[in-house]
Amino acid sequence: MSDGKNAAEMKQHSFSAEVGQLLDLVVHSLYSDREIFLRELVANAADAMDKRRFEALTSPALSLPEAPSIHIKADKKAKTITLSDDGLGMSPEELTQNLGTIARSGTKAFGEKLSNAKPEDRPNLIGQFGVGFYSAFMVADKVDVISRRAGEDVAARWVSEGKGSYSLGPAERAHAGTDITLHIKDDAEEFLDPWRLRSIIRKWADHIAWPVVLHEPDEDGKEKEETINEGKALWLRPKSEITSEDYTEFYRHTVRAFDEPYATLHWKAEGTVEFASLLFLPGARPFDFMEQSSRESRIHLHVRRMFITDEANLVPNWLRFVQGVVDTDDLPLNVSREMLQSTPVLARIRKAVTKRVISEVKKRAQEGGEAFTGFWNNFGLVIKEGLWEDSEHRQEIAEFARFHSTHDDELTTLDDYISRMKPEQETIYYLVGDNLNALKASAQLEGFRARGLEVLLLSDAVDSFWPDRLHSYKDKTFRSVAQAHGELEKFAPEAEEQGDAANVEKLTPALKDALGEAVKEVRSTVRLTGSAVVLASEGGPDLAMQRLMRRSGQEMPALPPVLEINPRHPLICALAERAEKGESVAEHARILLDLARVQEGEALPDPSGFARTLAGLLAGTVTA
């Protein structure tokens, strides 16, 4: 530290006009999270270490000391945090240039200087703007910098309270590098706790190449040192050097998970945009996955090993279960490094990452087996969101998507479904509901089963939406069985139908008169073999979609269903005889409609009335 003589020689300077205008903005508006200050200062320290290592290639006298590192020490009594590095350091002139002028970054100038250097010789320079240092004033009311440039004998001190001016003068430092001391504000004392500093480093700078050493007192009051960053950027190492255990350890450390990853994607993209990526398809679904409020991806975006954000949306929302890291040297950032600029580079990274993930899922789907079935059971519901919202990849998703169907209890693909279609069949039939077991027992399926027509059974909420958006697959259109009136007549039953069909010419109008506006129409159907009635929908969303929209609070205009009756069912035959005789079927009509509603899982408009009417009819049957 500087002595009294050096302190007396400190000279006051005004910040450049730009600093005077923007410092308040940097401190109060640029960063949304105060803890970012530590990331920025560690990033600058890492830059300085990289610079010194690079310059030592041509000037051995500038070589780094043995075991170079970045040191952080908090002094609760003095209310200070000091960061020290063994980097290139700054001369007095460079302190003025780099800390006295906003948006003049020593790192940026240094990067321009290296424009003709060989790629393998270039250090990983993180700070591309000159404002990161000023984030220190979010937590400090005074910042004290002592720096000595490698190869020079003198050190200099820079001091400012961030109020329009700074002081500069001579100082003493035993070796090259920089010390930054923050005098912490009263409302930022949380950052004096070693555990808080440790958590920030592990969040933002866990994988930078240089060791970050935290100094803190032990139980005896003596100072101890602990390297708190992981330091290994596993994604930058050759795959040949990494074991499956390494991948699993990294996955668990990064994702905070305990399972084994189902698939590991490790590659380096080269060309117009370069980045390294290490991504994982999880082996288990997180317990709170479906309750998470955000539908956005949480892949970690790094720039030169430094964590920037997990909100870059590097894959579509329907792939949000993908975990891992993407690291690039090419991505321009805005001045705060918290929000990314909308650049073609980021768009190309997103496109390349999404393409690679989809390719891996498709490959795993082709392999099939219990492993992919387990993966689909964990994340298929989310993947199917892509059938609805992702027009670019919709057909690709349809290729590997899995569905339950009436064929058997195993999941099926659309290709397998098509391979089992009847020669004259041009439609992929599906039924949507809330519960798979209820779907399997639905009366809607009776006529399709009788004709050997396979039906997809869709029980997830998103299944109500995507069939209309996908519309067709390999020239086969999708059709809800609830809207397939008349199509079954093209297919002959595989077994002789039981019983004679009643003449319902008088019954159907009688039922319609009794039900009035509650139904759009009453008609005979061949869709039933064992049930008496079923509901159908025409001219709007099918029944499942209507229920979903009502449950979600959306306004749903009244769309009366069609009541279809089975002319071979004994109850319908009996009612047909009553109608032929001119007897009333009004009470029976309401019971039939409510029975059809119950079959569909619909709420009855008058449960008590249904119970009374049904009890009365049963009583009449018993007494008769």
Side-chain angles (χ1 to χ4, degrees):
M1 296 293 291
S2 59
D3 54 21
K5 179 181 178 181
N6 288 337
E9 295 178 5
M10 298 288 288
K11 294 183 179 180
Q12 186 120 350
H13 303 265
S14 296
F15 280 122
S16 68
E18 293 88 351
V19 173
Q21 294 170 359
L22 297 178
L23 187 56
D24 185 70
L25 173 66
V26 171
V27 173
H28 297 105
S29 303
L30 189 61
Y31 296 92
S32 61
D33 193 337
R34 298 176 90 188
E35 70 180 30
I36 294 297
F37 84 93
L38 190 57
R39 182 191 73 180
E40 296 293 336
L41 297 181
V42 170
N44 290 343
D47 287 349
M49 308 270 276
D50 285 333
K51 292 175 186 179
R52 183 169 178 179
R53 181 173 57 183
F54 179 82
E55 292 206 355
L57 295 175
T58 54
S59 301
L62 304 182
S63 296
L64 286 159
E66 185 177 353
S69 53
I70 301 168
H71 294 261
I72 303 175
K73 181 178 180 179
D75 186 330
K76 289 187 176 181
K77 185 176 181 180
K79 294 179 58 176
T80 61
I81 298 174
T82 300
L83 287 89
S84 302
D85 66 64
D86 298 315
L88 187 62
M90 290 175 281
S91 66
E93 294 76 14
E94 289 172 327
L95 279 171
T96 299
Q97 292 172 348
N98 296 339
L99 304 187
T101 305
I102 205 160
R104 167 159 179 107
S105 168
T107 296
K108 187 175 182 181
F110 187 73
E112 293 170 353
K113 172 183 173 183
L114 299 180
S115 59
N116 296 320
K118 295 180 180 178
E120 61 269 22
D121 292 336
R122 294 175 184 169
N124 289 325
L125 304 178
I126 300 171
Q128 294 298 306
F129 297 88
V131 299
F133 167 79
Y134 298 98
S135 65
F137 288 103
M138 291 192 297
V139 299
D141 50 26
K142 178 182 176 182
V143 178
D144 193 326
V145 180
I146 295 178
S147 191
R148 173 178 169 181
R149 202 182 200 286
E152 297 185 3
D153 296 328
V154 298
R157 182 185 183 194
W158 181 100
V159 182
S160 178
E161 295 181 356
K163 296 180 179 179
S165 65
Y166 63 93
S167 298
L168 185 68
E172 295 179 1
R173 197 175 195 275
H175 51 80
T178 300
D179 300 320
I180 300 177
T181 300
L182 311 182
H183 297 263
I184 300 301
K185 298 176 180 178
D186 291 340
D187 66 351
E189 291 185 9
E190 63 174 289
F191 298 108
L192 293 170
D193 287 320
W195 69 266
R196 186 75 169 95
L197 299 173
R198 183 183 291 105
S199 67
I200 295 172
I201 292 299
R202 288 181 175 172
K203 175 181 179 180
W204 295 104
D206 202 28
H207 301 289
I208 65 170
W210 304 104
V212 179
V213 179
L214 180 66
H215 297 245
E216 61 177 313
D218 60 16
E219 295 177 355
D220 299 325
K222 297 180 181 179
E223 185 176 281
K224 65 176 182 178
E225 299 181 2
E226 177 191 3
T227 299
I228 56 176
N229 62 320
E230 182 77 11
K232 296 185 299 183
L234 195 68
W235 58 88
L236 297 179
R237 291 170 52 190
K239 287 191 286 186
S240 59
E241 298 179 3
I242 305 174
T243 66
S244 59
E245 290 77 14
D246 292 332
Y247 282 128
T248 298
E249 180 184 357
F250 179 84
Y251 166 73
R252 291 175 175 173
H253 173 76
T254 303
V255 181
R256 305 293 188 265
F258 301 97
D259 59 295
E260 297 275 343
Y262 168 57
T264 300
L265 296 75
H266 184 191
W267 82 102
K268 185 173 183 179
E270 297 178 340
T272 56
V273 60
E274 296 187 357
F275 61 90
S277 185
L278 178 53
L279 302 180
F280 301 94
L281 304 183
R285 185 167 66 186
F287 73 94
D288 62 343
F289 182 70
M290 299 312 298
E291 284 73 43
Q292 294 174 358
S293 58
S294 173
R295 292 182 61 245
E296 297 178 347
S297 160
R298 291 298 180 187
I299 293 174
H300 289 197
L301 176 65
H302 288 61
V303 173
R304 304 168 185 90
R305 294 190 177 197
M306 183 66 70
F307 173 55
I308 300 301
T309 182
D310 62 356
E311 298 179 354
N313 298 326
L314 294 176
V315 293
N317 292 340
W318 60 272
L319 287 175
R320 60 185 176 273
F321 54 85
V322 178
Q323 303 284 351
V325 170
V326 171
D327 189 359
T328 182
D329 291 354
D330 295 342
L331 193 62
L333 305 171
N334 76 350
V335 287
S336 74
R337 280 198 253 158
E338 287 187 277
M339 294 185 298
L340 300 172
Q341 293 176 348
S342 297
T343 68
V345 173
L346 183 59
R348 286 195 289 269
I349 290 176
R350 285 172 176 153
K351 184 174 182 178
V353 171
T354 300
K355 180 179 179 181
R356 180 68 179 83
V357 172
I358 292 177
S359 176
E360 181 68 22
V361 175
K362 289 171 68 174
K363 185 185 80 171
R364 297 282 175 156
Q366 290 169 358
E367 295 172 356
E370 293 183 3
F372 186 78
T373 298
F375 168 75
W376 185 263
N377 287 337
N378 286 330
F379 303 108
L381 183 154
V382 175
I383 293 175
K384 285 190 291 185
E385 292 176 8
L387 293 172
W388 163 255
E389 65 189 15
D390 193 335
S391 59
E392 182 179 356
H393 302 107
R394 187 173 292 137
Q395 289 296 326
E396 287 183 278
I397 300 170
E399 290 179 17
F400 60 76
R402 297 291 195 268
F403 309 95
H404 289 283
S405 84
T406 55
H407 177 67
D408 57 31
D409 291 333
E410 301 296 324
L411 291 170
T412 186
T413 65
L414 294 178
D415 286 312
D416 287 340
Y417 178 102
I418 291 173
S419 71
R420 296 188 291 264
M421 288 173 62
K422 291 183 174 295
E424 66 274 29
Q425 184 180 348
E426 296 296 330
T427 302
I428 298 173
Y429 295 107
Y430 67 90
L431 177 63
V432 178
D434 300 327
N435 178 277
L436 181 60
N437 290 329
L439 287 175
K440 290 178 179 178
S442 174
Q444 299 274 4
L445 300 175
E446 292 176 3
F448 291 86
R449 282 201 174 101
R451 289 159 177 79
L453 294 170
E454 184 175 353
V455 178
L456 300 179
L457 304 176
L458 310 179
S459 56
D460 294 324
V462 69
D463 292 327
S464 295
F465 298 93
W466 66 257
D468 284 340
R469 188 65 61 87
L470 182 59
H471 181 64
S472 65
Y473 178 76
K474 295 188 175 179
D475 297 327
K476 306 296 184 182
T477 58
F478 288 87
R479 181 68 57 83
S480 168
V481 298
Q483 297 177 319
H485 173 66
E487 294 193 16
L488 286 183
E489 296 175 357
K490 299 184 296 183
F491 306 97
E494 294 185 346
E496 185 176 345
E497 295 182 277
Q498 300 296 316
D500 295 328
N503 184 347
V504 295
E505 288 186 5
K506 291 187 178 180
L507 176 61
T508 51
L511 294 175
K512 176 65 172 85
D513 288 343
L515 296 173
E517 298 299 319
V519 295
K520 180 179 181 180
E521 181 185 354
V522 178
R523 67 190 178 205
S524 176
T525 184
V526 296
R527 292 203 298 131
L528 299 172
T529 58
S531 299
V533 289
V534 71
L535 293 180
S537 55
E538 287 184 359
D542 68 12
L543 301 171
M545 174 68 83
Q546 293 178 38
R547 288 196 298 273
L548 182 63
M549 294 175 69
R550 283 194 292 269
R551 283 201 299 266
S552 64
Q554 298 184 49
E555 291 188 10
M556 186 68 219
L559 296 174
V562 174
L563 179 65
E564 296 187 343
I565 60 176
N566 178 5
R568 298 179 184 276
H569 193 278
L571 175 59
I572 300 302
C573 291
L575 292 177
E577 291 182 6
R578 291 178 65 108
E580 287 283 347
K581 297 175 183 178
E583 299 176 5
S584 173
V585 292
E587 286 191 336
H588 296 83
R590 289 189 289 273
I591 288 293
L592 289 177
L593 178 57
D594 282 344
L595 285 174
R597 286 169 172 157
V598 169
Q599 287 177 174
E600 293 299 319
E602 295 274 359
L604 297 181
D606 183 12
S608 297
F610 169 74
R612 287 193 300 271
T613 303
L614 181 59
L617 291 174
L618 290 173
T621 302
V622 172
T623 55

